[in-house]
Amino acid sequence: MKKPRILSGVQPTGNLHLGNYLGAIRNWVGLQDSHECLFMLADLHAITVPQNPADLTRNTRETAAAYIACGIDPKRSAIFPQSAVTMHSELAWILNCHTPLGWLDRMTQYKEKVGFSPSKTIETLNSQYSKLNSENDSAFTKRNELVEEWIGVTEEFESKRSKSKLGLYAYPVLMTADILGYHATHVPVGEDQKQHLELARDIAGAFNRAYGTEFFPLPQPLILGAATRVMSLTDGTKKMSKSDPSDYSRITLTDDADAIANKIKKAQTDSDPALTYDEKNRPSVANLLTIYAALDDTTPQQVAEKFSTLKTGQFKAQLADLAVEKLSPITARMRDLMDDHSTLDNLLKDGANQARAIAAPIFEETKRMVGFLQV
Ligand code: ATP
Ligand code: MG
């Protein structure tokens, strides 16, 4: 029987971190036996925010080295730069023409990336407004205040949006093309990509309905592992990100033992020195326990139990030791791979050829369905 096909990728924007490893790359390794795998270096996605060209090239190789160092086998899985397969951009254009703007307006990642983080959302303001009874004088004043706030939030968003680039807004459509263009049925990602995957299903459905076909399978997210959303080390309520301006917010795959220990030592905790797992009330401590659990293949509750006699500060030393033990072989292997550009580039060339061979007939059929004249 044919193996199901999966597609995933990481943006080569540097700062590859523990969240990328635990939420994505590590989970890909085990899927290589049961699935046909394509792992791209998402450089087209990377340029949705400004990139220095030399850094982008370097980070593309470094991300490929990370995939391989984490256990992706280039003999079994296609590893390639997304931009090397033109289908991604071409199919994205066709899908752009089937995607209502309203669907993209709902994407939360876009709002985060344009730097829009109001203290109250429009939805909160709307709901507060509709709960007030305008018959009464103080409610009338309160309603006026809410309208003022509403105007302020809308203006802030409009000002951020008008300066942001079209590519950033269209990012989820490109991501849909990445997946549909290979007829991939499963997409292993971290929790933050769930909303984009739902959109990919909607766009696939819209295309299929428009042409009276079931040509594009509706892709499913595979959100795997014990740490599907690793949080920032400096703010337990925000996800760990490559784009966070603070280097202390993340442990990267290129950090040495001292840097790892130092970052964990400085990591945010709370005023309670006891080590207990309470995701809702103690997010930063829960994050450290979750990271330990994911690295040790256990659960955060078990980790809290195992170290129940330790204070959070003492536990940090245990976590640093484990993180160094697990990450340092990966860092060393990445360094070796980065020393030999020509071998790495040849692997990526082979990967791109494999990817093109899968994508070509699917894209030809898509163009035929749309009605493009074949010449
Ligand atoms: P950026 O901040 O530039 O968007 P990123 O850290 O979100 O970078 P991506 O390249 O966008 O990294 O994502 C690559 C993969 O890593 C995706 O599957 C994503 O879901 C996963 N991922 C990213 N951050 C985390 C995290 N904090 N925890 C778990 N998975 C994550
Ligand atoms: Mg991201």
Side-chain angles (χ1 to χ4, degrees), residues 11 17 19-20 113 190 192-193 228 230 239-243:
Q11 299 180 75
H17 56 74
N20 301 133
K113 293 215 167 178
D192 61 308
Q193 292 302 321
T228 56
V230 176
K239 106 171 171 71
M240 188 177 281
S241 274
K242 294 202 230 86
S243 51

